[in-house]
Amino acid sequence: MGVEGIGARVLRKEDKRFITGKGKYTDDMVVPGMKHATFVRSPHAHARITGIDVDAAKAMSGVVAVLTGSELKADGIGNLICGWMIHSKDGTPMKMGAWSPLATDKVRYVGDAVAIVIADTKGEARDAAEAVEVSYEELPVVVNALDAMQQGAPEIHAEAPDNLIFDWDLGDEAATNAAFAKAAHVTSMDIVNNRLVPNAMEPRATLGVYDSGEDHYTCWTTSQNPHVARLVMSAFYNVAPENKLRVIAPDVGGGFGSKIYIYPEEITCLWASRKTGVPVKWVADRTESFLTDAHGRDHVTHAEIAFDSDHRILGLKVATIANLGAYMSLFSSCVPTYLYATLLSGQYAIPAIHANVKTVYTNTAPVDAYRGAGRPEATYVLERIMETAARELKISPAELRRKNFVKSFPHQTPVIMCYDAGDFDATLDAAMNAADYAGFENRRQEAAKRGKLRGIGMSCYIEACGLAPSSAVGSLGAGVGLWESAEVRVNAVGTIEILTGSHSHGQGHETTFAQLAAERFGVPIDSVSIVHGDTDKVQMGMGTYGSRSGAVGMSAIAKALDKVEAKAKKIAAHLLEADEADIEIKNGDVRVAGTDKSVPWFQVALAAYTAHNLPSGMEPGLKEGAFYDPSNFTFPGGCHICEVEIDPETGTTEIVQFVAADDFGNIINPMIVEGQVHGGLAQGIGQALLEATHYDASGQLLTASYMDYTMPRAVDLPSFTVTNTVTACPSNPLGVKGCGEAGAIGSPPAVINAVTDAISNNNLAMPATPQNVWAALQAAK
Amino acid sequence: MAKVELVVNGRAVKGEAEDRTLLVHFLRENLGLTGTHVGCDTSQCGTCIVHVDGRAVKSCTMLAAQASGSTVTTIEGLGLNGELHPLQAAFREHHALQCGFCTPGMLMSSADLIRRHPDGLDEATVRLELEGNICRCTGYHNIVKAVLDASEKMGKGAEKAA
């Protein structure tokens, strides 16, 4: 390992601009003639639009235009779509209701966009938006998934009777029932996974610019995947053909899933720019973000697990109802299906699993992937029921898990996934050692003397990352392939540009990806630049989500580096009059192994471009591209242990220790990986202790600001103990698995297992606020 | 329209703005100092923090007109003579930032925190006093480390340097 190569804790190249205030986010973009947009949004959760009067607004100071959905439709702009087809168990396709970027006939949640107002200043646009008179005929509202399935519930989309989008099955129901018939013990639980608001600190924003001279559009946007945005806006929304649409996602202030999707605002601002002839910028305020960013989770589950008399798992049954909100967001259908039920085997050898998932419409914000996406929900179900079973069986939760671990690989689960590598004993042992699990009882007794209730809980998770083999996801209904692209351009002076279809919005790609080139060629990482986030610069890519940028994005770079290395060696062999097989590249020199004959790296690059003396028939230049399509998912896994102290008088929970022992395969930059774990833990602990999304019965979002929705702050969290073990991933060239989501996946059940251990009441829903914990304590008395 | 006169990062500036213009918007839009961010509407997130007459202020909660006559330091002016401020260096050294959006406010808030505690800081105090700054990326773990490290390095000179 070089000082800047694979495995080195290299400080981030991108930091300088961020710590000096020179980051360039979408809201920082200014173009000549730019105007500001405000969206007129529905104040009702469900209503028929009976009229829109824009005259007063149009007459106001500074107003350029007020545009509505009927004009947008007249110009042929299409409806938003969900890009993953799921079929119900009876074979019928999912029932997707129409989602117009600007509502024309009906509004279906508070925040549904109805019109766009464009004015000289943001203030004028806001003033005028207040003057747009929309007449509504209010309709009955349903916000809760279970209520939405009741007979006589308000119908949200005519396309979906009973608000049912699909009723989907995975696994062998008969085999699972047969397994349960043999059980010595069955544990049953009802489990709710609370709805969350992603809350990237940068609110969504977009700037749409239409150039009438070129008939060309530019879209600056807060996107995790600008190429997917361009593809979808071209192919489905009719905004412009791909060659006439440039999408740029510059610095993006966090995503966590919420910036994967193409929302109404980008489409509308691009269209409005052509309609009005002025560049149109929109920036969400925080309450708009709460109302209209895709939310996460919101599952209600009944689960049962069967054991034999030796405490080995015989089978698992899971029935889940997932609330998808008012419209199907871009990847909403795959989250509670193929990203959820396929992970229900966890770290365990389970012979039979059956899952049923029903998804429903409600009058709430659309729900889609949020950090972990389906995998936190699966882990929460499995790790809560394993802990509960251990309590019922009166055996150690660690030993119950250990007894049922998958021990040999590859391991085919009954729910599609084939685990390729792992060592679950190793992560369990590492976590238990780091947490001094054996010493817990002493700590509990000591805490009791101080009047505190101390509890400990664990969670052993697995996730499927590195999304994903294209043919596999295609066969499961995905509308896109999930490969990644890379191009390595060596300049004539030996500096390097790496173009990637991955997108960095905090993950540190500009550093980690450069480390690959530093490792390969021994060049300083300052001579390597990473180019991403612009469809004019990078031809195509699938973006960043599902912990895929390491396993898939970096694998594409590794493939392109292979090609560059091979050509550079050919050139060097020619220059040094040596055999190509004897050439090695080390510390910035290209040399004949075992001799003092060498040529500096930059001279090889220069030779490629002067082309005065190349091997016969070789094309000039040193630039290679690659597409990498993974052959399998990757399977990070680990064990998280949480220790809490609760004040029985107030119900307040303090996390006194949190240990994460993770297996991410090989690690390129440990500093960045640890940072990803810290952030994931904070979001998982936030879900477990703090974050609740409340709609009232009329569909008003009560938690629509930071005054009402409890974001984790520094004082709410401990310093974490993070450690790792390594089993290399066998399916990709770097042996990496992915680390971005693990913290958010493993931590919630560990926290709730600890809290319920402390209060001796297993009946506790997330978030474990002081109020909820205090009530559970009283109920247990 | 309100007349606004400020000294920003050592430079005297004059401008006109709608009466309702917030200081953050004046800095961003009139002066092009886009390092100061807007992350919420309720003075909770702290991405907009600047120093007004030496104290940390949420610039989304002050009218530009109110600030007129004041000396303002933004993230662009935190470094000294082209060098990184010790806090900026510590944030990089400890990987205390990911997406970078909360970072300017976090740095300006931390600089004020160190100034107010010239005899040093401990973890509990840092966590408590960063209550007004939200970060969604880092889980605060490395931010706390960076602030403690910078506080130690700045030592008794903290008041002056910040």
Side-chain angles (χ1 to χ4, degrees):
Chain A
M1 167 184 110
V3 290
E4 295 183 326
I6 290 174
R9 301 178 76 88
V10 181
L11 298 184
R12 296 204 320 173
K13 285 157 59 74
E14 48 269 77
D15 281 353
K16 187 182 175 197
R17 68 177 185 271
F18 295 128
I19 57 180
T20 56
K22 302 293 185 191
K24 284 279 171 274
Y25 301 87
T26 299
D27 187 22
D28 302 336
M29 302 300 162
V30 176
V31 296
M34 186 175 84
K35 305 294 180 188
H36 300 267
T38 291
F39 283 83
V40 177
R41 298 186 183 277
S42 170
H44 303 296
H46 200 192
R48 208 174 303 286
I49 298 171
T50 55
I52 305 176
D53 183 348
V54 300
D55 291 346
K58 275 185 172 167
M60 288 178 67
S61 159
V63 172
V64 175
V66 182
L67 303 172
T68 63
S70 57
E71 293 160 272
L72 181 131
K73 273 193 174 10
D75 283 352
I77 302 296
N79 287 332
L80 285 85
I81 53 129
C82 175
W84 194 305
M85 171 54 71
I86 298 289
H87 287 85
S88 285
K89 60 186 177 186
D90 66 6
T92 56
M94 64 189 189
K95 299 185 169 61
M96 183 162 59
W99 183 5
S100 172
L102 295 175
T104 52
D105 52 346
K106 236 173 99 163
V107 288
R108 295 179 173 86
Y109 73 107
V110 172
D112 215 348
V114 177
I116 180 172
V117 178
I118 300 153
D120 289 337
T121 70
K122 193 165 181 177
E124 287 168 332
R126 286 185 166 218
D127 290 343
E130 301 240 325
V132 174
E133 291 283 342
V134 185
S135 307
Y136 295 102
E137 176 194 324
E138 287 187 63
L139 296 167
V141 170
V142 63
V143 298
N144 176 292
L146 298 179
D147 295 343
M149 295 173 69
Q150 300 302 314
Q151 273 213 325
E155 181 185 87
I156 296 170
H157 291 277
E159 296 91 335
D162 302 325
N163 298 314
L164 184 69
I165 301 168
F166 56 76
D167 178 356
W168 174 88
D169 259 9
L170 186 67
D172 186 334
E173 186 170 17
T176 309
N177 285 336
F180 272 74
K182 292 184 296 184
H185 180 86
V186 172
T187 294
S188 303
M189 281 184 88
D190 292 312
I191 296 169
V192 174
N193 204 292
N194 43 325
R195 178 184 279 238
L196 302 172
V197 183
N199 272 307
M201 291 315 297
E202 179 203 23
R204 284 193 297 117
T206 188
L207 168 59
V209 182
Y210 176 69
D211 176 344
S212 61
E214 299 288 342
D215 197 24
H216 181 276
Y217 296 79
T218 303
C219 172
W220 274 272
T221 179
T222 50
S223 173
Q224 299 177 217
N225 46 352
H227 292 86
V228 176
R230 182 173 74 154
L231 170 68
V232 172
M233 285 197 284
S234 287
F236 297 100
Y237 306 153
N238 249 348
V239 174
E242 275 181 289
N243 63 319
K244 292 290 186 184
L245 174 57
R246 176 183 187 185
V247 179
I248 304 170
D251 287 329
V252 173
F256 315 113
S258 68
K259 293 172 180 169
I260 297 172
Y261 327 113
I262 289 75
Y263 289 89
E265 291 86 1
E266 296 95 294
I267 305 164
T268 306
C269 287
L270 279 171
W271 163 74
S273 177
R274 192 188 58 169
K275 196 88 178 155
T276 59
V278 297
V280 177
K281 183 198 265 186
W282 168 79
V283 181
D285 61 31
R286 183 53 60 182
T287 289
E288 255 182 320
S289 302
F290 271 101
L291 291 173
T292 67
D293 288 5
H295 293 176
R297 319 284 192 254
D298 206 343
H299 284 197
V300 178
T301 295
H302 178 75
E304 298 182 18
I305 190 165
F307 294 88
D308 70 11
S309 56
D310 190 33
H311 303 148
R312 288 186 193 280
I313 305 169
L314 295 171
L316 176 72
K317 290 182 194 176
V318 172
T320 294
I321 296 163
N323 184 344
L324 293 193
Y327 299 101
M328 290 190 80
S329 176
L330 191 62
F331 291 115
S332 57
S333 57
C334 70
V335 176
T337 52
Y338 291 110
L339 292 177
Y340 167 68
T342 55
L343 273 301
L344 284 169
S345 197
Q347 297 191 349
Y348 312 113
I350 304 181
I353 297 175
H354 177 251
N356 175 261
V357 178
K358 296 180 176 70
T359 54
V360 297
Y361 285 117
T362 61
N363 296 115
T364 63
V367 176
D368 207 322
Y370 166 62
R371 201 169 195 167
R375 291 151 291 169
E377 294 92 317
T379 302
Y380 191 68
V381 167
L382 196 57
E383 290 305 287
R384 284 290 290 131
I385 204 165
M386 284 298 281
E387 192 85 8
T388 303
R391 289 172 190 172
E392 289 178 358
L393 294 165
K394 298 190 167 39
I395 66 167
S396 148
E399 291 319 304
L400 182 64
R401 288 177 168 91
R402 197 187 294 279
K403 174 169 266 183
N404 285 286
F405 278 161
V406 170
K407 306 273 189 190
S408 66
F409 299 87
H411 173 84
Q412 178 63 54
T413 73
V415 278
I416 298 179
M417 292 298 175
C418 183
Y419 302 161
D420 54 4
D423 184 344
F424 306 138
D425 284 308
T427 44
L428 177 62
D429 289 340
M432 289 174 74
N433 288 335
D436 183 24
Y437 197 83
F440 171 73
E441 274 310 319
N442 287 340
R443 298 195 291 277
R444 192 201 294 266
Q445 285 167 25
E446 184 277 327
K449 287 181 196 153
R450 290 182 281 111
K452 294 289 176 68
L453 302 169
R454 194 158 175 132
I456 195 164
M458 65 167 53
S459 148
C460 295
Y461 73 91
I462 194 164
E463 51 167 331
C465 294
L467 308 179
S470 297
S471 62
V473 295
S475 73
L476 300 177
V480 290
L482 289 173
W483 44 265
E484 196 46 87
S485 78
E487 186 177 318
V488 175
R489 296 180 182 166
V490 181
N491 297 317
V493 291
T495 58
I496 297 171
E497 279 132 24
I498 297 179
L499 287 71
T500 171
S502 297
H503 185 274
S504 188
H505 31 278
Q507 295 88 343
H509 295 171
E510 290 169 45
T511 305
T512 318
F513 290 8
Q515 286 179 253
L516 298 183
E519 174 81 15
R520 190 70 71 112
F521 302 130
V523 297
I525 64 164
D526 280 346
S527 71
V528 185
S529 295
I530 306 301
V531 177
H532 69 105
D534 183 342
T535 61
D536 262 14
K537 294 179 179 169
V538 180
Q539 183 230 339
M540 187 56 178
M542 298 311 296
T544 290
Y545 40 84
S547 304
R548 68 189 305 276
S549 297
V552 189
M554 284 202 291
S555 293
I557 293 170
K559 269 186 80 176
L561 287 170
D562 287 345
K563 296 181 188 177
V564 169
E565 182 181 345
K567 185 168 182 184
K569 282 180 169 175
K570 278 193 172 69
I571 295 169
H574 181 73
L575 295 175
L576 296 167
E577 296 175 338
D579 193 296
E580 192 186 323
D582 294 334
I583 301 292
E584 60 180 20
I585 305 178
K586 259 193 179 161
N587 302 325
D589 279 338
V590 188
R591 60 178 65 245
V592 184
T595 74
D596 60 357
K597 284 172 72 179
S598 74
V599 54
W601 168 252
F602 80 88
Q603 281 193 3
V604 176
L606 192 63
Y609 287 95
T610 57
H612 296 163
N613 182 21
L614 289 175
S616 165
M618 179 183 274
E619 282 181 22
L622 195 50
K623 176 186 91 165
E624 300 288 347
F627 284 75
Y628 174 78
D629 196 356
S631 58
N632 193 359
F633 294 83
T634 65
F635 298 96
C639 177
H640 292 182
I641 296 179
C642 179
E643 203 166 320
V644 299
E645 277 192 9
I646 290 167
D647 181 342
E649 301 297 321
T650 64
T652 304
T653 299
E654 182 191 358
I655 294 181
V656 290
Q657 169 170 247
F658 200 103
V659 171
D662 303 292
D663 178 356
F664 297 133
N666 295 334
I667 286 175
I668 310 300
N669 185 327
M671 178 192 81
I672 285 176
V673 168
E674 287 160 17
Q676 289 292 308
V677 175
H678 297 156
L681 293 178
Q683 284 174 265
I685 292 168
Q687 167 166 34
L689 292 184
L690 304 167
E691 298 180 40
T693 310
H694 289 295
Y695 282 94
D696 73 8
S698 71
Q700 295 296 329
L701 182 60
L702 301 181
T703 48
S705 82
Y706 290 149
M707 309 283 276
D708 309 291
Y709 184 94
T710 315
M711 289 284 279
R713 300 185 192 231
V715 75
D716 300 313
L717 297 169
S719 283
F720 308 111
T721 303
V722 173
T723 182
N724 72 289
T725 65
V726 177
T727 60
C729 174
S731 72
N732 63 56
L734 296 164
V736 301
K737 297 184 181 178
C739 64
E741 297 162 294
I745 291 169
S747 57
V751 175
I752 297 301
N753 288 339
V755 174
T756 52
D757 178 52
I759 65 174
S760 304
N761 181 352
N762 200 39
N763 185 19
L764 179 71
M766 296 191 289
T769 58
Q771 185 182 9
N772 288 347
V773 171
W774 190 86
L777 273 165
Q778 305 316 305
K781 277 183 180 167
Chain B
M1 297 293 272
K3 283 199 166 54
V4 183
E5 293 189 21
L6 299 166
V7 176
V8 179
N9 301 331
R11 194 167 64 87
V13 296
K14 274 186 192 178
E16 276 205 344
E18 280 185 279
D19 292 349
R20 60 183 167 180
T21 303
L22 299 169
L23 177 58
V24 64
H25 292 130
F26 187 81
L27 294 170
R28 287 180 55 82
E29 288 157 26
N30 293 52
L31 305 182
L33 296 170
T34 55
T36 304
H37 296 149
V38 181
C40 76
D41 333 317
T42 51
S43 303
Q44 291 288 304
C45 78
T47 62
C48 66
I49 290 177
V50 299
H51 295 174
V52 177
D53 295 329
R55 297 175 56 189
V57 165
K58 287 183 171 170
S59 62
C60 73
T61 313
M62 187 178 220
L63 295 166
Q66 263 179 303
S68 193
S70 300
T71 297
V72 175
T73 305
T74 70
I75 184 65
E76 289 89 347
L78 182 64
L80 309 163
N81 308 319
E83 296 288 314
L84 292 181
H85 184 280
L87 258 171
Q88 290 171 313
F91 266 55
R92 176 157 193 260
E93 186 71 27
H94 292 280
H95 186 34
L97 62 148
Q98 292 181 25
C99 81
F101 195 80
C102 79
T103 308
M106 202 65 84
L107 283 164
M108 299 310 284
S109 189
S110 301
D112 190 57
L113 172 60
I114 291 172
R115 178 189 63 81
R116 288 184 284 107
H117 294 83
D119 295 326
L121 284 161
D122 57 33
E123 176 174 345
T125 306
V126 173
R127 287 186 179 277
L128 188 67
E129 297 231 358
L130 287 180
E131 199 247 352
N133 291 78
I134 302 176
C135 170
R136 193 57 150 170
C137 292
T138 65
Y140 307 97
H141 181 106
N142 287 339
I143 291 175
V144 173
K145 272 167 65 179
V147 174
L148 289 172
D149 185 35
S151 165
E152 194 157 295
K153 284 184 176 143
M154 291 164 71
K156 296 283 183 191
E159 181 127 27
K160 200 171 160 216

